[in-house]
Amino acid sequence: ESLLPADLLARLPETFVDHAAVTEGLTGNFLLFDLQDGSERFRVPPNTRIRVSRERLRRLLMDGLDILWSKTISDIDTTTPGAVTASFTDGTTATGTQLIGADGSRSRVRTFLAPSPANNVLPIRLLGTSVPYSSARCAPIRDLDPFFFQASDPATDAFFWFSFLSVPTDPAEDRVCQILVSWPFRKGFLGREEPVDTPATEERVAWMKEVTKGWVEPFRSIVADIPEGTDAKSLALEDWLPAEEGFDSRDGRVTLIGDAAHAMTMFRGEAANHGIADVACLVRELFAESDTNAPGPIDSLFNMKLSTVIAVVAAGSVASHQTKGKHHTIDYNKAPPNLSTLASNSLFETWRPKAHVLPPSGQIGDPCMHYTDPKTGLFHVGWLHGGAAGATTDDLVTYHDLNPNGSQFIVAGGVNDPIAVFDGSVIPKGIDGKPTLLYTSVSYLPIQWTIPYTRGSETQSLAVSYDGGRNFTKLHQGPAIPSAPFAVNVTGWRDPFVFQNAKLDSLLESSPQTWYNVISGGVQNEGPSQFLYRQHDPDFQYWEYLGEWWHEEANSTWGNGDWAGRWGFNFEVANIFSLDDKGYNADGEVFTTIGTEWSFEPIVPEVSDSRQMLWAAGNVTLQDGAVKFVPTMAGFLDWGTSAYAAAGKELPASSQASMKSNAPDRFITYLWLTGDFYATHDFPTPQQNWTGALLLPRELSVGTISNVVDNELSREADSWRVDSSNSGVLELVTMKQEIARETMAKLTSGKLVTEPSLALRSPGSVAFKHGPKSKFYVLKASLSFPASARGSDLRAGFEVLSSEFETTKIYYQFSNESIIIDRTNSSAASRTTDGISSRNESGKLRLFDVMEHGEERVETLELTIVVDNSIVEVHANGRFALSTWARSWYSASKGIRFIHEGEGEVKFENVTVHEGLFDAWPERSN
Ligand SMILES: Cc1cc2nc3c(=O)[nH]c(=O)nc-3n(C[C@H](O)[C@H](O)[C@H](O)COP(=O)(O)OP(=O)(O)OC[C@H]3O[C@@H](n4cnc5c(N)ncnc54)[C@H](O)[C@@H]3O)c2cc1C
């Protein structure tokens, strides 16, 4: 609106495709249908949008402009300082101070500025026609959507686009319909041995009908009714992205905008919109006041637009769904180039895990919104992903996307959440007995604990699913919890976690099985808090505020901070649940998992952001009428610096997964492993086309460590407590965490190779006799250490993903009771490419002195190391986890070695490797 003069803006309705629809207030639904069963798979929530005729908009925009037609640019000359001269093929020239190349997807201006200007051609073919259909023929189509819709065929990956190009007001006149059909250019499509290329002109319509003949009505006949002899045009599907360092702007005198700067496919229908946004940015920059040291308007435009555009081109390329990088060849036997110079999507498979949860492509954020559907017994696992998306599982092994292509079940854009959907949690039988989501609806950003909080930025809203979790429909009302507690100056107030708790019911005299919720956050200058609420009515419309049931002093620590990190300044993603020694029990000991946000001094507004993923157990009591949580022990849920935002849910014994494995009620949690260090690392994201994953599901319970010698080590209770003492021998209690039993059983069901036991007495390394042939396996081992190891320089463990070029060391180090993952030489790519961290990861695990057969010895280190390509999860003794990325580059980097440093004998026993892992997403690889 700001770009157009008032008179042209007033004439915008001239460009509308369907005046009647606009008058009716229709804005379209941007629907995506399934061509096999006709179901609606995706719907974009209402928003301000207008559908314009491209030709009519063009005519309007040209009004009053002096355009020189039929000029084809052939060269540019910037040898004169401060000037740029364009030459045209007709021999004329034009000189000015700035040249803006808006010459489309195959831009000539681009060839002067970018070293690799050629478009990336996608392995998809597309044919399109315009067909006049009568109003009566169009009526059932218009019932689907007044403007346009898309559809795709899960059986073949063919794609269908329909739009009304022109809708005359006189119903006697035909409407012009745009019909596009695309198909993957690959072997086996429709049973053809060879990929099918675009047919000759006269065979095109027949081929479109062939592609569509397996589709459900009314879609099939929209194509089948195209009259023979209709002209069908072929459209190349191509994209192009500038390199991250930009292109040569000739001292800020030449730039590209629109498709010339970022060609993208038409699947998401947003390329022209980006072109318009480019113009808005450029105009703003050209007329902005700036100091002399700031980059000029053209360079500023580039910096501003690049990150958005990278994400969008990548998403468009994924939307075209046949591009999983298989057509790119990269030599993993040679040193890597700077990976950010490679084509988009070319690294898709390089580091992709198999057994972990992640979307088909794109970025995964916090896990959240899990629940077991009481109707089906399926466990729904959710995650943030442009809104939130999810999958179901009946065995905690394989997952099935709720929506095709892993698309969202809720997206931002409503009245309550114009900016974003943040974490939430689900009451499985909520409003109308349906799964009901309470989530953070975001109206304003930035929000960060280091800056003043804008009230109203975060509210908590409700949405209900009526279709088995594939969509959550937002209630047409304001937020259920519209504002942070009165007069509390919060640092954050988000991620509501709903739960039931018998102890709270009795302390607060609530009716049994009342729902509560904690919202995570903190108070400015005071410290992090959990804000507690109680359900007030059966429809969850009102939540009674019960105060900060847990608050810690700003940046304080648990004990000396060794075992549970820092409480920080702001809590996030708190979960509350109760456990016993078997798993989840509403009457059990109360636990919480929390993300803490903290920082070293000096705190830099909007920049300081260190995070830790912790757990705590505690007592719940009434103090002056208010219920309080007081921790009794606390620890790390995962020590990895990229592991954060854990979200769990009780998985009842009646769930499909638990029935099959005969498991009791459990609490299952998933952590997020951020792939670009919370978007602060300059990772080659477009090349990989996915970012981050969830760690393997873990079962939490109350764990015991038995026969522990009563000494200083065991009495220094921090992430454990002394439960009982019997003649000098203690039983300790801590939080037990293990990979979920079904997941572990499946991980270890692959081919088993046992490595002979080994005792190493002196420093060195020994290669495995039967090393794995892939980068997908589980390594298990028991390591025993002598008593003399305590306080010594002894270290022992393994090298994995190892070759002459690279290696990742994982070892226990006695001097500071830590497990270390040494990544300094994990990835040859970290030496050529930004954003591939080589920082070491470490976490503390105390091996206690234990009594065994009447003798005192150091507790055995029981290691489980999961290597899922680039994800390495280290689990130890049922109470320790450290997970991170190790992005080995070379094909040869598959070896495993025993390692020993320092003094003292280490015995490696029960050493096994289960190779292969499972594919958590069988449907995606079809
Ligand atoms: C089927 C389809 C559907 C689409 N749907 C949508 C949609 O729903 N929403 C959306 O936002 N976008 C959509 N788009 C994308 C949109 O059409 C383009 O992003 C937009 O037209 C790009 O504008 P542009 O000005 O950058 O380039 P163009 O529109 O391509 O204009 C480039 C101009 O430069 C001229 N030119 C080229 N070379 C030279 C040269 N050497 N010298 C001089 N002049 C030259 C060309 O003649 C042309 O006039 C769709 C595209 C397609 C193909």
Side-chain angles (χ1 to χ4, degrees):
E1 283 178 11
S2 66
L3 290 174
L4 286 183
D7 58 323
L8 292 190
L9 197 57
R11 285 173 50 205
L12 203 56
E14 289 173 20
T15 67
F16 292 170
V17 167
D18 186 342
H19 282 273
V22 176
T23 315
E24 275 178 63
L26 303 178
T27 54
N29 295 306
F30 219 121
L31 297 167
L32 178 77
F33 293 101
D34 183 323
L35 290 164
Q36 284 295 316
D37 62 14
S39 60
E40 179 190 312
R41 290 305 185 98
F42 196 77
R43 169 184 289 254
V44 178
N47 207 333
T48 312
R49 34 182 189 238
I50 51 168
R51 179 152 168 80
V52 299
S53 148
R54 191 189 311 217
E55 201 35 53
R56 281 182 239 155
L57 180 66
R58 207 166 119 96
R59 239 176 290 140
L60 182 86
L61 297 181
M62 288 191 307
D63 197 300
L65 294 185
D66 183 16
I67 296 171
L68 297 180
W69 292 105
S70 305
K71 296 279 177 193
T72 303
I73 193 166
S74 54
D75 205 355
I76 58 171
D77 175 12
T78 49
T79 46
T80 310
V84 49
T85 298
S87 316
F88 301 99
T89 49
D90 61 4
T92 56
T93 59
T95 299
T97 53
Q98 262 128 358
L99 184 137
I100 295 156
D103 50 346
S105 160
R106 294 183 177 173
S107 163
R108 178 91 172 116
V109 179
R110 190 197 292 159
T111 62
F112 307 132
L113 307 184
S116 321
N119 282 344
N120 173 34
V121 179
L122 300 173
I124 301 166
R125 299 294 181 263
L126 184 142
L127 287 171
T129 64
S130 302
V131 188
Y133 280 157
S134 70
S135 297
R137 173 70 189 84
C138 290
I141 308 177
R142 195 174 189 268
D143 286 347
L144 295 174
D145 193 274
F147 299 109
F148 60 87
F149 58 80
Q150 306 183 61
S152 79
D153 182 353
T156 64
D157 284 342
F159 171 90
F160 181 40
W161 160 275
F162 177 92
S163 80
F164 291 110
L165 287 181
S166 149
V167 181
T169 29
D170 179 357
E173 279 183 49
D174 284 345
R175 292 157 181 240
V176 181
C177 304
Q178 182 190 36
I179 297 173
L180 308 182
V181 171
S182 78
W183 68 95
F185 182 68
R186 67 168 180 232
K187 286 183 178 183
F189 178 71
L190 287 191
R192 309 292 199 278
E193 253 178 41
E194 289 306 314
V196 183
D197 217 331
T198 311
T201 315
E202 60 283 5
E203 291 161 17
R204 288 181 179 173
V205 170
W207 172 249
M208 285 170 79
K209 294 181 181 181
E210 175 75 19
V211 172
T212 58
K213 72 181 184 198
W215 294 357
V216 71
E217 293 294 2
F219 307 102
R220 193 191 60 83
S221 60
I222 297 176
V223 181
D225 290 351
I226 300 174
E228 288 304 323
T230 303
D231 186 28
K233 291 210 160 42
S234 154
L235 197 87
L237 289 176
E238 304 178 343
D239 58 25
W240 186 82
L241 261 187
E244 235 165 285
E245 60 276 16
F247 36 72
D248 175 10
S249 70
R250 309 277 175 102
D251 293 332
R253 278 175 281 167
V254 187
T255 194
L256 302 170
I257 59 171
D259 282 11
H262 41 68
M264 59 185 88
T265 61
M266 31 55 73
F267 288 97
R268 289 163 51 111
E270 58 182 308
N273 282 283
H274 276 277
I276 295 167
D278 289 351
V279 177
C281 277
L282 183 63
V283 169
R284 204 170 48 234
E285 287 302 319
L286 283 173
F287 296 104
E289 283 181 23
S290 67
D291 60 63
T292 42
N293 296 330
I298 278 182
D299 291 326
S300 304
L301 165 79
F302 180 84
N303 294 338
M304 234 179 317
K305 285 288 299 178
L306 186 66
S307 57
T308 346
V309 155
I310 284 177
V312 167
V313 174
S317 156
V318 170
S320 48
H321 59 66
Q322 283 88 22
T323 56
K324 290 191 184 153
K326 287 171 187 148
H327 56 294
H328 299 284
T329 48
I330 291 176
D331 192 346
Y332 296 102
N333 300 311
K334 285 208 325 235
N338 179 342
L339 302 183
S340 64
T341 62
L342 299 179
S344 332
N345 234 343
S346 51
L347 301 176
F348 189 88
E349 302 286 358
T350 311
W351 293 309
R352 188 133 172 115
K354 257 166 77 172
H356 282 79
V357 168
L358 73 180
S361 63
Q363 161 117 22
I364 195 169
D366 298 4
C368 57
M369 310 182 187
H370 317 321
Y371 67 101
T372 302
D373 187 337
K375 255 177 94 178
T376 61
L378 291 174
F379 189 52
H380 290 233
V381 180
W383 52 83
L384 297 187
H385 172 63
T392 58
T393 179
D394 62 1
D395 56 6
L396 300 179
V397 173
T398 53
Y399 295 83
H400 310 276
D401 285 309
L402 277 159
N403 290 308
N405 274 323
S407 64
Q408 293 76 1
F409 54 72
I410 189 166
V411 292
V415 183
N416 297 357
D417 55 12
I419 301 290
V421 165
F422 279 180
D423 299 23
S425 56
V426 172
I427 298 163
K429 270 186 166 178
I431 295 170
D432 295 339
K434 304 285 183 216
T436 298
L437 169 67
L438 182 67
Y439 70 100
T440 299
S441 33
V442 179
S443 298
Y444 177 80
L445 288 175
I447 305 167
Q448 219 225 2
W449 61 269
T450 57
I451 54 174
Y453 186 87
T454 304
R455 282 189 91 78
S457 308
E458 297 166 304
T459 55
Q460 322 302 329
S461 294
L462 288 166
V464 181
S465 181
Y466 295 96
D467 60 359
R470 289 193 301 163
N471 289 285
F472 274 83
T473 309
K474 298 170 194 171
L475 297 196
H476 291 292
Q477 63 179 44
I481 317 181
S483 155
F486 180 68
V488 179
N489 189 6
V490 299
T491 44
W493 182 68
R494 57 183 161 274
D495 314 331
F497 182 79
V498 291
F499 65 100
Q500 292 168 304
N501 188 282
K503 222 165 253 170
L504 284 182
D505 286 349
S506 75
L507 282 176
L508 294 165
E509 296 172 16
S510 315
S511 23
Q513 302 190 333
T514 291
W515 284 92
Y516 301 88
N517 112 56
V518 282
I519 299 180
S520 304
V523 184
Q524 298 272 354
N525 306 319
E526 288 180 22
S529 291
Q530 289 183 355
F531 302 96
L532 181 68
Y533 294 79
R534 171 166 64 177
Q535 168 194 9
H536 179 270
D537 59 298
D539 282 338
F540 306 96
Q541 299 292 314
Y542 301 100
W543 292 82
E544 180 192 354
Y545 178 51
L546 301 175
E548 288 166 55
W549 91 317
W550 185 24
H551 172 80
E552 293 288 344
E553 206 178 300
N555 221 16
S556 57
T557 55
W558 177 248
N560 61 10
D562 274 1
W563 297 91
R566 313 198 74 82
W567 297 131
F569 296 86
N570 189 59
F571 283 160
E572 294 190 294
V573 301
N575 283 198
I576 307 289
F577 47 94
S578 339
L579 301 176
D580 63 15
D581 58 347
K582 297 189 181 55
Y584 178 80
N585 177 349
D587 291 311
E589 186 169 348
V590 176
F591 279 76
T592 179
T593 53
I594 30 151
T596 66
E597 293 192 292
W598 63 283
S599 174
F600 291 113
E601 302 281 0
I603 290 166
V604 185
E606 283 202 69
V607 172
S608 292
D609 58 350
S610 300
R611 297 179 178 84
Q612 289 174 335
M613 190 63 228
L614 309 178
W615 63 265
N619 293 324
V620 177
T621 53
L622 270 186
Q623 289 174 23
D624 303 328
V627 67
K628 294 283 173 198
F629 173 83
V630 181
T632 51
M633 54 181 177
F636 272 85
L637 189 60
D638 197 296
W639 291 81
T641 52
S642 296
Y644 192 65
K649 194 76 175 178
E650 66 266 27
L651 179 68
S654 59
S655 64
Q656 285 204 32
S658 300
M659 301 269 275
K660 284 191 210 166
S661 61
N662 205 14
D665 291 347
R666 286 177 287 172
F667 191 81
I668 301 287
T669 193
Y670 291 78
L671 283 99
W672 177 42
L673 193 67
T674 166
D676 55 4
F677 212 71
Y678 311 93
T680 62
H681 282 181
D682 217 359
F683 188 77
T685 303
Q687 285 73 20
Q688 179 166 280
N689 213 354
W690 58 272
T691 313
L694 304 189
L695 295 174
L696 295 169
R698 298 183 192 171
E699 300 188 20
L700 308 184
S701 59
V702 175
T704 44
I705 312 165
S706 301
N707 299 323
V708 179
V709 176
D710 190 350
N711 59 17
E712 262 181 18
L713 295 174
S714 49
R715 286 284 170 183
E716 192 202 334
D718 252 309
S719 55
W720 61 90
R721 62 180 159 76
V722 177
D723 196 51
S724 62
S725 158
N726 188 357
S727 44
V729 174
L730 304 181
E731 182 151 280
L732 307 181
V733 165
T734 185
M735 191 184 76
K736 183 171 171 181
Q737 55 159 325
E738 290 189 310
I739 295 172
R741 64 193 74 187
E742 297 89 339
T743 320
M744 198 61 210
K746 190 71 180 172
L747 285 171
T748 51
S749 67
K751 197 176 126 226
L752 165 75
V753 177
T754 306
E755 189 69 20
S757 297
L758 188 75
L760 287 181
R761 288 176 198 86
S762 54
S765 77
V766 176
F768 269 35
K769 288 202 161 42
H770 318 284
K773 297 187 177 47
S774 73
K775 298 180 181 180
F776 301 90
Y777 57 84
V778 180
L779 163 64
K780 292 181 128 214
S782 312
L783 276 67
S784 320
F785 302 95
S788 63
R790 281 219 189 280
S792 78
D793 59 353
L794 183 61
R795 300 164 159 191
F798 299 95
E799 288 188 24
V800 298
L801 297 170
S802 175
S803 67
E804 59 182 299
F805 312 108
E806 300 163 319
T807 195
T808 298
K809 293 183 183 174
I810 302 169
Y811 55 85
Y812 188 80
Q813 171 166 299
F814 269 93
S815 58
N816 59 357
E817 303 181 281
S818 296
I819 290 181
I820 320 272
I821 304 183
D822 177 344
R823 301 193 296 168
T824 39
N825 192 20
S826 284
S827 177
S830 69
R831 295 190 277 275
T832 62
T833 309
D834 286 343
I836 297 172
S837 178
S838 54
R839 246 188 19 209
N840 289 358
E841 298 270 13
S842 78
K844 280 179 93 72
L845 171 68
R846 173 156 294 171
L847 296 175
F848 293 101
D849 291 328
V850 290
M851 294 301 292
E852 213 177 81
H853 310 301
E855 279 186 28
E856 204 177 304
R857 56 186 303 275
V858 178
E859 187 188 1
T860 304
L861 174 65
E862 301 287 357
L863 276 182
T864 299
I865 300 172
V866 180
V867 174
D868 191 357
N869 204 353
S870 60
I871 298 182
V872 175
E873 293 196 24
V874 179
H875 297 259
N877 294 44
R879 59 176 194 264
F880 172 95
L882 172 60
S883 308
T884 192
W885 302 98
R887 296 184 172 106
S888 69
W889 175 258
Y890 285 91
S891 297
S893 300
K894 293 176 186 142
I896 309 182
R897 306 177 75 85
F898 298 94
I899 49 173
H900 178 291
E901 276 178 46
E903 232 172 87
E905 180 184 84
V906 182
K907 280 193 198 131
F908 297 81
E909 292 166 301
N910 312 320
V911 184
T912 57
V913 177
H914 292 266
E915 202 172 339
L917 306 191
F918 55 83
D919 176 5
W921 301 95
E923 285 158 9
R924 288 186 188 165
S925 23
N926 288 335

